[in-house]
Amino acid sequence: MVTGGCGYIGSHTVVALIENGFEVLILDDLSNSNKEVLDRIKTITGTRPKLLEVDLKNSFLCDNMFCYNKNIEAVIHFAAHKAVSESVEKPLMYYHNNLYALINVLVAMEKYNINNFIFSSSATVYGNPEILPITEQNKTQRPFSPYGNTKKVAEEIIADITNSNKDFTAISLRYFNPIGAHDSGQLGELPNGIPNNLMPYITQTAVGVRETLSVFGNDYPTKDGTPIRDYIHVIDLAEAHVIAVQRLLENKQETSFETFNLGTGNGYSVLEIINTFQKVINQKINYTITERRPGDVPILYSDIAFAKEKLGWVAKRNLENMISTAWKWEQNYRQEQN
Ligand code: UFG
């Protein structure tokens, strides 16, 4: 069962699961995604996964999903709101949606005795880290946004459950900055409205949907003054989920709740991303330096050793590939709309 399986990371993970022989059931309320993703998944894999359209905040409906689908072996839980700035404006909406859905899923899993759980977490749980690169041993801090805090609180809830229920096992995957798209150009990131994140803003500017990209501050303590992030290809991320599910199903986990960072270990500044993008697509984009965005930290990049050692997973795709696939997707999508 993949909750949020029609979303950006969810849909790429569904493709990777199908390609690895899994039968997938998607639960999604389509609040930030579209049913047509199922056709795209079918074009890529030959299989159209089953979708149950459901709001997991509703405990009765959530229970029904498990009651009528008795052969679920594992749950990957992506379903959540994810816009940082929106969560600052509407914190209750974020706590309500992200935590109710999580708790309803966990309650149903306990009731129907399903014990393998993968959680979609974020590097935001490290706050502004004192030690770089960030290892899983870095202390977590209160994230700067309610969105981020839902991820931190969720991990604490899951930890409590794995402590109390000896059969229940979970893996939390802490993503750095997922970008890129499927090689086919059939699947990619499609944010609702004005993009919050850097890469979709860049591709939409390049394709002419946005006029100018704002670079939020160039006075950070970094080489060129713009913040540094660890960008990771969404397909690498999807593959890590397949490995994590297999680890739980084969009982290979060393503790009942494991957490892994998913990044490449490389940090790129905003200007480096823009420059590489311009080189890869051989086109200039309009950008201007503006004020800092509240809540941004200067530098985040991952230590990749733990995931490599325990999961045998490393990200394989480089920045040029992340950018060219994101660009291919943006162009394909806009052509389809015309
Ligand atoms: N940026 C710009 N202009 C934009 C958008 C972003 O300059 O239009 C900059 C940001 O200031 C930041 C960098 O690009 O320095 C990356 O920003 P993103 O919004 O793409 O990514 P974040 O690192 O802010 O956010 C990511 C995830 C969140 C998560 C957060 C935690 O998208 O889900 O990391 O740090 F909560």
Side-chain angles (χ1 to χ4, degrees):
M1 176 183 283
V2 180
T3 75
C6 291
Y8 173 46
I9 304 172
S11 59
H12 288 83
T13 299
V14 168
V15 167
L17 287 165
I18 293 171
E19 284 171 345
N20 281 275
F22 286 92
E23 191 184 333
V24 179
L25 171 66
I26 298 176
L27 304 189
D28 204 304
D29 68 357
L30 302 178
S31 60
N32 192 25
S33 57
N34 198 303
K35 257 190 213 160
E36 73 172 33
V37 160
L38 302 176
D39 299 328
R40 298 176 180 281
I41 293 173
K42 174 145 193 240
T43 307
I44 295 168
T45 65
T47 303
R48 191 185 159 92
K50 185 170 161 196
L51 164 70
L52 296 173
E53 210 177 316
V54 61
D55 179 353
L56 294 170
K57 291 197 296 297
N58 183 318
S59 58
F60 174 73
L61 293 179
C62 181
D63 182 278
N64 271 353
M65 296 299 120
F66 287 83
C67 182
Y68 294 108
N69 293 285
K70 285 270 162 47
N71 56 349
I72 305 296
E73 287 184 73
V75 176
I76 306 183
H77 184 57
F78 291 105
H81 292 331
K82 61 168 189 175
V84 175
S85 54
E86 184 184 48
S87 78
V88 175
E89 284 157 30
K90 301 174 185 168
L92 255 187
M93 181 177 126
Y94 271 68
Y95 288 116
H96 186 223
N97 184 69
N98 292 7
L99 296 179
Y100 268 54
L102 171 78
I103 291 167
N104 288 338
V105 168
L106 292 171
V107 166
M109 287 180 73
E110 187 171 81
K111 178 169 168 191
Y112 296 99
N113 201 24
I114 299 160
N115 289 312
N116 300 306
F117 187 68
I118 308 283
F119 181 63
S120 171
S121 188
S122 164
T124 193
V125 300
Y126 296 113
N128 188 5
E130 280 153 30
I131 304 166
L132 289 162
I134 302 169
T135 72
E136 290 77 357
Q137 276 67 54
N138 270 55
K139 278 210 179 72
T140 58
Q141 297 177 20
R142 194 189 188 290
F144 294 104
S145 69
Y147 154 76
N149 207 32
T150 66
K151 296 294 178 190
K152 184 165 180 292
V153 171
E155 287 195 350
E156 288 163 4
I157 292 171
I158 298 162
D160 288 342
I161 296 168
T162 53
N163 282 336
S164 74
N165 176 353
K166 291 300 161 217
D167 296 325
F168 189 79
T169 54
I171 292 178
S172 182
L173 299 174
R174 293 173 175 167
Y175 316 146
F176 280 69
N177 287 57
I179 60 170
H182 194 266
D183 287 330
S184 62
Q186 279 293 316
L187 213 54
E189 189 169 8
L190 192 57
N192 265 349
I194 300 171
N196 291 295
N197 297 113
L198 181 62
M199 187 49 64
Y201 211 108
I202 290 179
T203 56
Q204 289 194 12
T205 307
V207 90
V209 176
R210 311 273 154 217
E211 211 166 288
T212 307
L213 166 75
S214 297
V215 173
F216 299 135
N218 66 350
D219 56 351
Y220 286 91
T222 61
K223 49 194 161 186
D224 60 24
T226 61
I228 289 176
R229 294 289 181 272
D230 184 339
Y231 296 90
I232 174 164
H233 201 302
V234 68
I235 304 279
D236 280 319
L237 215 57
E239 288 171 0
H241 288 76
V242 175
I243 293 171
V245 174
Q246 284 164 339
R247 183 175 174 86
L248 291 184
L249 293 176
E250 292 163 15
N251 275 318
K252 287 191 180 150
Q253 71 280 0
E254 291 173 10
T255 58
S256 56
F257 186 29
E258 297 179 317
T259 48
F260 295 101
N261 289 347
L262 298 183
T264 64
N266 303 314
Y268 293 101
S269 73
V270 175
L271 289 180
E272 282 176 326
I273 297 291
I274 295 171
N275 290 335
T276 312
F277 185 86
Q278 296 185 134
K279 227 179 274 165
V280 168
I281 76 158
N282 198 21
Q283 181 187 318
K284 292 265 172 225
I285 60 163
N286 287 330
Y287 71 88
T288 168
I289 309 289
T290 64
E291 293 288 289
R292 286 183 178 200
R293 182 172 71 176
D296 277 344
V297 300
I299 309 176
L300 285 177
Y301 61 95
S302 174
D303 187 308
I304 60 168
F306 194 59
K308 187 175 178 187
E309 186 194 331
K310 303 292 179 191
L311 298 178
W313 171 89
V314 279
K316 296 189 216 108
R317 292 156 183 87
N318 63 19
L319 184 62
E320 282 73 14
N321 187 274
M322 299 179 213
I323 287 172
S324 60
T325 53
W327 180 231
K328 184 175 178 182
W329 157 249
E330 184 73 60
Q331 287 176 301
N332 268 9
Y333 179 74
R334 298 297 158 189
Q335 259 167 20
E336 282 175 18
Q337 302 308 299
N338 288 333

